[in-house]
Amino acid sequence: MTIEETTVTFDELTSGLAIERDRRNDWRRTAVVYQIYPRSFADSNGDGIGDLPGITRRLPALADLGVDAIWLSPFYRSPQADAGYDVADYRDVDPVFGTLADFDAMLQRAHDLGLRLIVDLVPNHSSDEHAWFRQALAGAPGSAERDRYIFRDGRGEHGELPPNNWQSVFGGPAWTRTLDPDGTPGQWYLHLFDAKQPDWNWENPEVRAEFLDVLRFWLDRGVDGFRVDVAHSLIKAPGLPDQQASEDEGADDTEGYFHTGPMWDQDGVHEVYREWRALLDTYSPARILCAEAWVPSLSRLARYVRPDEMHQAFNFDYLESEWDAAHLRSVIDSSTAANDEVGAPTTWVLSNHDVVRHVSRLGLPAGPRPNGIRAGDPQPDHQLGLRRARAATLLMLALPGSAYLYQGEELGLPDHTSLDDDLRQDPTWRRSGHTEAGRDGCRVPLPWEADEPGLGFGPGGATWLPQPAAYRELARDRQEDVDGSTLEMYRSALALRRAFALAVGDLSGLDAKAGVLRLRNGELTVVANTGVTPVPMPDGELLMASAELPQGGMLPPDTTVWLLTEAWSE
Ligand code: NOJ
Ligand code: CA
């Protein structure tokens, strides 16, 4: 190779640098995304259920908080058997949430406020009330209508046993038997979740084409992208073999999401996402795909965010981490390394609509993460949980990449941990034979104004789940402009994250000793004390603290600080 051939011109070099800078600053690598759970965000018409006009009215509060984007959990037409994750029509808004016109108005308002909007897409299953499932039930075994879903004959002499041993994530068998038109028992259909959520057959080209069309429908309306529900389950192993007992080993969480087996994380799913990515790449401005994939290792997760697939995947290892410096260090280190390997940003998340809120979780003794907390269960220590949650959040918001916030965490909300069992709506409660509380406790309507009926959730004060007494003091208006409130901590942290470009910063000096986690991001030194004794703080200008600091330069337990320091100081 001659010298001429390797010479890069000044223009080439600067345009190359500009491309690299644009890539690093791409919102799909840096955004703080706020999750709205529509039933519980804000109600506009007094029926006690949140809706799209309610969201539109409250959007300025999110712009004011300083987030970059919103992820909206499902609002599609649905019988609400799994709070909207059972979609009957992917191209329409459920009347309980409003209309397509309400959706357009909400999207426009979000964009006017500089907020991007990511919608939830549920491709693994539909509702049993979807037109195609009704046609499948009416169709004969082996018909084209049935082939859009996963129907099989049962085992046993009369087909009376399910086709295989798969269990539903919500408890009980993953198969339900149908009745033929003459009333005799017929074939079985697969549902990895509730019986009202039949799994699509992703081997069927018609299903693939249909979803590409659904993507186009929302992209053409102007949405900024999709959060993809159970992205790791679309393809099942050929022949639908029984799940082996050994495949459940290592599942260390109570929700069973990390199980391996013939229904999870099959290589074929990646082909689907490559096709979706190619479609998204034809749209401008840039659109995002984010995977919800509870796969058992960070290296398997990184496969979902290879350059021609999705842009991001939720980092559930971070959410699952104990409040322990060594554990956190290891998760930060390994998730960053796994994503670097494929050139993807790392994401961070502590709460969502499927898990006990981190205020409550971190107020429990270390141990397996519970699937909901009931009145008779050991109760979290709220003050300890709040203190740790604030420290964990401040640590999270100092990390490069994207962060996901779940509505209400900016208020320091705990779960409702003494909800009347009769009010539970999560199908998990019923399907587990009333052994697992499920996720209602983290889905309670938000408190906006302490002195309004229903804490300002909507006119008249109705709320589809009761709000716990603790929510009054935590209402947004009680925290606004109040020094030291959780809301103000989030607001300041988000402003500083932006000012110091932390999302694109270089992480260095990651270290955990004696319960203290330290790291540097650009000019910032971050110290989190997860231990039980105060430790000395490095010298530097204090930018943020998750709790009040005593005189004398010591960092108390369960506290995180951001400091401006010249360089790394021991
Ligand atoms: C994951 C969603 O986050 C959860 O709420 C839902 O129940 C399941 N997927 C099934 O769609
Ligand atoms: Ca409503």
Side-chain angles (χ1 to χ4, degrees):
M1 188 185 282
T2 64
I3 290 185
E4 283 82 329
E5 279 170 325
T6 59
T7 304
V8 179
T9 66
F10 180 73
D11 282 354
E12 279 166 354
L13 180 67
T14 48
S15 73
L17 290 174
I19 290 169
E20 175 55 17
R21 192 198 51 225
D22 289 351
R23 193 187 77 88
R24 277 170 66 103
N25 290 333
D26 184 341
W27 72 275
R28 296 170 297 183
R29 303 180 67 86
T30 62
V32 174
V33 184
Y34 182 100
Q35 180 189 356
I36 291 183
Y37 192 67
R39 346 185 98 233
S40 304
F41 188 70
D43 175 25
S44 73
N45 60 357
D47 65 357
I49 303 178
D51 46 49
L52 302 189
I55 295 172
T56 306
R57 187 167 83 81
R58 295 289 193 179
L59 280 179
L62 300 188
D64 171 73
L65 179 62
V67 299
D68 305 296
I70 291 161
W71 148 33
L72 189 63
S73 281
F75 51 86
Y76 311 105
R77 204 174 264 276
S78 158
Q80 307 289 323
D82 183 22
Y85 283 94
D86 49 317
V87 181
D89 183 346
Y90 289 83
R91 296 180 185 79
D92 202 2
V93 174
D94 194 277
V96 83
F97 298 128
T99 62
L100 275 172
D102 293 330
F103 180 87
D104 291 341
M106 178 188 62
L107 179 60
Q108 186 60 51
R109 183 79 176 119
H111 283 168
D112 290 347
L113 290 164
L115 296 166
R116 293 189 162 90
L117 184 75
I118 299 168
V119 296
D120 214 313
L121 187 78
V122 190
N124 178 68
H125 43 266
S126 70
S127 161
D128 64 339
E129 297 182 29
H130 190 286
W132 281 11
F133 191 72
R134 292 199 164 138
Q135 290 169 20
L137 284 182
S143 63
E145 286 76 16
R146 285 218 167 167
D147 190 52
R148 293 168 178 152
Y149 292 88
I150 303 179
F151 281 82
R152 293 289 183 276
D153 293 332
R155 291 187 292 196
E157 203 180 331
H158 306 289
E160 69 280 12
L161 299 171
N164 67 24
N165 70 354
W166 296 4
Q167 294 292 299
S168 149
V169 172
F170 293 156
W175 295 92
T176 291
R177 195 165 192 188
T178 60
L179 288 180
D180 285 337
D182 64 2
T184 56
Q187 285 193 303
W188 299 69
Y189 67 88
L190 177 70
H191 51 87
L192 292 183
F193 294 88
D194 192 67
K196 284 185 71 61
Q197 293 168 294
D199 280 43
W200 289 106
N201 173 16
W202 275 87
E203 308 293 347
N204 183 329
E206 223 187 325
V207 170
R208 294 191 184 218
E210 170 67 359
F211 272 89
L212 282 171
D213 203 57
V214 168
L215 290 172
R216 274 188 220 104
F217 178 87
W218 293 103
L219 290 167
D220 291 343
R221 275 202 123 76
V223 304
D224 296 288
F226 304 91
R227 173 266 188 194
V228 181
D229 191 64
V230 269
H232 57 312
S233 61
L234 273 49
I235 300 289
K236 280 79 180 175
L240 311 182
D242 274 348
Q243 181 162 38
Q244 303 304 311
S246 60
E247 286 169 338
D248 264 355
E249 278 172 14
D252 56 359
D253 68 318
T254 50
E255 292 184 37
Y257 273 140
F258 278 120
H259 292 197
T260 52
M263 64 296 261
W264 304 121
D265 197 27
Q266 301 294 307
D267 287 345
V269 294
H270 298 287
E271 195 185 308
V272 174
Y273 302 131
R274 284 194 198 103
E275 213 176 347
W276 291 11
R277 174 61 179 270
L279 172 66
L280 260 75
D281 282 348
T282 64
Y283 281 81
S284 170
R287 315 294 167 102
I288 195 172
L289 284 173
C290 176
E292 186 223 20
W294 296 81
V295 296
S297 75
L298 286 159
S299 57
R300 292 298 298 184
L301 188 62
R303 294 161 59 87
Y304 289 76
V305 288
R306 289 177 289 193
D308 58 349
E309 296 191 41
M310 304 226 194
H311 301 88
Q312 298 191 348
F314 292 117
N315 184 354
F316 292 123
D317 283 46
Y318 189 72
L319 182 151
E320 296 259 309
S321 175
E322 281 164 31
W323 178 238
D324 168 73
H327 198 178
L328 287 161
R329 188 201 62 78
S330 138
V331 172
I332 295 170
D333 204 23
S334 46
S335 38
T336 311
N339 287 305
D340 282 354
E341 189 95 344
V342 290
T346 299
T347 68
W348 312 101
V349 61
L350 285 164
S351 281
N352 65 34
H353 67 294
D354 289 331
V355 300
V356 170
R357 286 177 175 277
H358 61 294
V359 165
S360 301
R361 202 166 69 230
L362 297 174
L364 289 172
R369 194 165 55 73
N371 187 4
I373 299 172
R374 294 172 65 197
D377 293 337
Q379 294 291 300
D381 174 338
H382 177 67
Q383 287 315 322
L384 177 70
L386 181 59
R387 187 178 177 99
R388 288 184 171 169
R390 290 174 51 130
T393 296
L394 207 55
L395 172 62
M396 171 173 91
L397 292 178
L399 297 171
S402 262
Y404 283 80
L405 307 179
Y406 176 49
Q407 66 178 35
E409 68 167 85
E410 75 280 18
L411 305 176
L413 296 186
D415 260 37
H416 195 322
T417 57
S418 56
L419 199 60
D420 190 335
D421 283 339
D422 293 340
L423 298 176
R424 297 193 185 282
Q425 302 205 9
D426 182 351
T428 309
W429 173 238
R430 176 178 38 83
R431 291 190 63 91
S432 68
H434 298 165
T435 56
E436 294 203 23
R439 303 159 294 175
D440 294 296
C442 66
R443 299 175 172 181
V444 173
L446 291 191
W448 292 91
E449 283 99 24
D451 296 328
E452 295 294 325
L455 306 178
F457 177 64
T463 58
W464 70 277
L465 283 177
Q467 297 155 312
Y471 276 28
R472 178 174 299 279
E473 280 313 308
L474 296 169
R476 195 174 202 279
D477 69 339
R478 288 280 163 98
Q479 301 199 40
E480 235 166 355
D481 300 323
V482 174
D483 242 14
S485 72
T486 304
L487 178 62
E488 292 306 327
M489 185 197 85
Y490 270 76
R491 208 198 316 235
S492 306
L494 291 172
L496 288 171
R497 178 181 168 87
R498 198 179 289 240
F500 285 92
L502 299 182
V504 292
D506 290 317
L507 193 64
S508 61
L510 187 59
D511 168 64
K513 273 196 209 89
V516 181
L517 181 89
R518 297 230 250 166
L519 59 90
R520 253 179 101 74
N521 181 347
E523 311 157 71
L524 207 75
T525 292
V526 180
V527 190
N529 182 2
T530 69
V532 291
T533 48
V535 294
M537 266 197 300
D539 290 335
E541 185 190 331
L542 182 71
L543 282 181
M544 288 276 320
S546 65
E548 214 170 307
L549 299 179
Q551 297 292 318
M554 297 293 276
L555 180 63
D558 301 321
T559 310
T560 299
V561 283
W562 292 4
L563 301 156
L564 262 188
T565 52
E566 288 283 308
W568 183 251
S569 66
E570 279 303 318

